[in-house]
Amino acid sequence: MSAVPGQTVGPFFHLGLEYDGMNELVPPSHPKAVRLHGHVYDGNGAPVPDAVIEIWQADPQGHIPRRPGSLRRDGWTFTGWGRAATDPDGHYQFATLEPGPTEAGRAPFFAVTVFARGLLDRLFTRAYLPGDPSALDADTLLSGVDPARRGTLITTREPAGLVFDIHLQGEGETVFLTYPRLRDAWS
Amino acid sequence: MESSQADINREIEVAAQQPGGPQPKTDYAPYRSSILRHPKQPAHLVDPESVELWAPVFGHRDVADDEADLTIQHAGTPIGERIVVTGRVLDGDGRPVAGQLVEVWQANAAGRYRHQRDQHPAPHDPNFTGVGRMLTGPDGTYRFQTIKPGPYPWRNHVNAWRPAHIHFSLFGSDFTQRLITQMYFPGDPLFALDPIYQSITDPKARELLIAQYDHDVTTPEWSTGYRWDVVLTGTHRTPLESDVSSDLEEEA
Ligand SMILES: [Fe+2]
């Protein structure tokens, strides 16, 4: 069957996609809350003020959440999914928990989706946690990408959180991903 | 200097000569905003793992039934042609995507979005917001009632107009199937002039974005109807029974 092609999210996505608490997977006051944040940049290094970033992740124990409630958060259930729009400075942020490894020894990551005005189809990438060099070195994706670009997939730790900048194009361009059945659908 | 529609038409024609396949060309200069916003490096192929093999779960606690009716969100009735849009969400192997979230947003009948960035001097409709949400049924069916959106001008080039469309946001049963796209209406005279629609250079593929008028979806003396099925890409994990019953998960 032929997959339906994507189209840009356009400039008016706030109308349809925004809702209260969308970027708070946990309340920021949660004792284990971290701030995952960064900027989105275009090919000139200018901030992109009309992008949407979504994250999907395991919980700190490495369990993949199978519970509803991402749209109407109850303050207690960790659903593992959130959405953020960039502000006029091209900045986005989430309050969340750090994902744990879903299998022993595996490097935990946030699965990330990127949409923007001007971007005709969504992009996929991963934002890995820093800090476990052996797990990162053993990771199939990280060991398979150009070492010069590997850093675009790894978050940087700061006192209260993790920084993950996204470069859509040009210098420091983020490594974006495709998957076998995606590639096959388009061949 | 700003481009004219004739300039854009020429660029569309040139781009169409280089086969880009059934997905949009993200590097598509006739859509000016894409020039600095597409990756130049090819996407890196990876086997999905861990969370990428699953999709977030949404349930009835997330979406109220009346969010599927965009005509009842205010005290009065919105102006415009009342329509029902329905169809099925399927994965690339033809399996229904059940119990999953569908989000839609659109302009009003005059082609105006309820959004501060929309400066088109067409009237707002106090009785129309233009936002809907729903969950697919067990067979992947979604359905909502709305009014037909109008075409609207934008600033890609001089006198640029978008064909009438409804924005759709869809999830599958694994993360890799995530899709945001636009649904169009049959016979729109603006198709040939629109660089967003034409960024899909395979004509058969872009026609997959056009809903069909379906008389069986109409309600006598009430509304006309359109059918639009959405086929996502394939899953990398055979969906489980529990994928379709998020409410059971809620009780578990
Ligand atoms: Fe639009």
Side-chain angles (χ1 to χ4, degrees), chain A residues 8-12, chain B residues 105-107 113 152 162-163 165-167 182:
Chain A
T8 179
V9 74
F12 306 129
Chain B
W105 69 101
Q106 63 169 89
Y113 282 89
Y152 61 86
R162 295 293 333 279
H165 59 271
I166 299 177
H167 295 265
Q182 302 178 22

Side-chain angles (χ1 to χ4, degrees), chain B residues 188-200:
Chain B
D188 198 308
L190 293 165
F191 285 147
L193 311 182
D194 179 40
I196 292 180
Y197 180 68
Q198 296 292 335
S199 70
I200 306 151

Side-chain angles (χ1 to χ4, degrees), chain B residues 33-183:
Chain B
S33 309
S34 78
I35 294 172
L36 290 169
R37 292 185 171 193
H38 70 273
K40 295 208 164 166
Q41 303 288 332
H44 187 94
L45 179 67
V46 67
D47 284 322
E49 55 178 290
S50 109
V51 282
E52 290 165 333
L53 293 167
W54 300 84
V57 173
F58 299 94
H60 290 291
R61 63 160 287 119
D62 290 298
V63 184
D65 287 346
D66 62 9
E67 290 184 77
D69 191 341
L70 286 73
T71 68
I72 59 165
Q73 295 171 353
H74 300 274
T77 306
I79 296 287
E81 184 182 335
R82 189 184 291 114
I83 60 172
V84 164
V85 180
T86 186
R88 294 175 76 204
V89 183
L90 303 170
D91 73 16
D93 301 303
R95 280 185 294 251
V97 175
Q100 193 47 291
L101 177 67
V102 177
E103 298 162 286
V104 296
W105 69 101
Q106 63 169 89
N108 69 20
R112 183 91 189 254
Y113 282 89
R114 192 179 276 240
H115 189 289
Q116 61 178 23
R117 271 185 64 174
D118 187 354
Q119 299 299 315
H120 176 31
H124 279 298
D125 184 339
N127 292 313
F128 191 71
T129 303
V131 179
R133 292 190 190 90
M134 66 225 84
L135 297 174
T136 57
D139 66 347
T141 296
Y142 73 87
R143 185 180 194 277
F144 62 99
Q145 178 164 266
T146 186
I147 53 92
K148 197 173 176 186
Y152 61 86
W154 59 311
R155 296 198 172 138
N156 188 66
H157 53 279
V158 175
N159 198 17
W161 290 81
R162 295 293 333 279
H165 59 271
I166 299 177
H167 295 265
F168 271 71
S169 162
L170 301 133
F171 294 79
S173 42
D174 83 30
F175 170 78
T176 70
Q177 294 170 290
R178 183 80 177 93
L179 178 70
I180 288 186
T181 191
Q182 302 178 22
M183 184 208 89

Side-chain angles (χ1 to χ4, degrees), chain A residues 3-7 121 186, chain B residues 22-24 179-181 200 205-206 208-209:
Chain A
V4 163
Q7 292 270 265
D121 205 1
W186 304 127
Chain B
Q23 64 197 118
L179 178 70
I180 288 186
T181 191
I200 306 151
R206 60 181 182 248
L208 295 172
L209 296 178

Side-chain angles (χ1 to χ4, degrees), chain A residues 28-115:
Chain A
S29 58
H30 187 289
K32 295 233 165 83
V34 291
R35 182 188 191 209
L36 170 68
H37 69 124
H39 287 85
V40 181
Y41 297 105
D42 73 9
N44 279 345
V48 175
D50 37 22
V52 182
I53 310 300
E54 291 176 354
I55 58 168
W56 169 229
Q57 63 166 105
D59 71 12
Q61 287 73 45
H63 297 136
I64 297 169
R66 302 297 300 145
R67 294 188 176 277
S70 296
L71 267 66
R72 304 257 161 85
R73 301 201 191 273
D74 64 10
W76 296 96
T77 306
F78 187 73
T79 65
W81 186 83
R83 173 184 284 161
T86 54
D87 68 15
D89 297 322
H91 183 255
Y92 73 90
Q93 64 176 0
F94 292 95
T96 188
L97 303 174
E98 292 191 18
T102 51
E103 285 173 56
R106 298 295 277 277
F109 61 84
F110 302 90
V112 178
T113 322
V114 183
F115 308 91

